Amino acid sequence: MTAYEYKQQVIIEQKNDKIEALIEGYKEIMRQLNHNRKFSKTEEEKQAYYTARDIVETTLLDITQENILDL
């Protein structure tokens, strides 16, 4: 393996680590949002859950796509 290939491999591994961390963060945020949704009493609180979920999912997809396109 050349030095260039090794460097590329390290970069790929770092990006994979970032994506894995994003996914774990996403899971934790969704656990918290789901918990909040379960105890929602008003329609506004339920709608806030769906809005927050959509924002989190969209942001995660955007960040992941940026990292994948950099490979």
Side-chain angles (χ1 to χ4, degrees):
M1 178 182 291
T2 66
Y4 176 76
E5 291 170 333
Y6 178 76
K7 181 180 177 184
Q8 290 302 107
Q9 182 65 29
V10 169
I11 290 170
I12 289 170
E13 289 173 6
Q14 289 173 341
K15 289 194 180 284
N16 285 341
D17 290 344
K18 286 180 185 178
I19 291 170
E20 286 177 21
L22 284 170
I23 290 169
E24 288 305 312
Y26 168 77
K27 288 178 183 178
E28 181 58 31
I29 290 169
M30 291 308 296
R31 269 194 289 276
Q32 291 175 9
L33 286 173
N34 282 330
H35 175 77
N36 291 347
R37 180 184 55 87
K38 288 177 186 175
F39 295 100
S40 298
K41 294 180 181 155
T42 66
E43 195 58 40
E44 290 82 17
E45 290 173 335
K46 291 176 183 175
Q47 188 58 42
Y49 158 78
Y50 293 112
T51 301
R53 184 192 66 186
D54 290 346
I55 291 168
V56 169
E57 288 176 350
T58 302
T59 302
L60 178 67
L61 287 172
D62 290 346
I63 292 169
T64 303
Q65 286 175 347
E66 288 174 16
N67 281 290
I68 289 172
L69 292 176
D70 286 345
L71 292 179

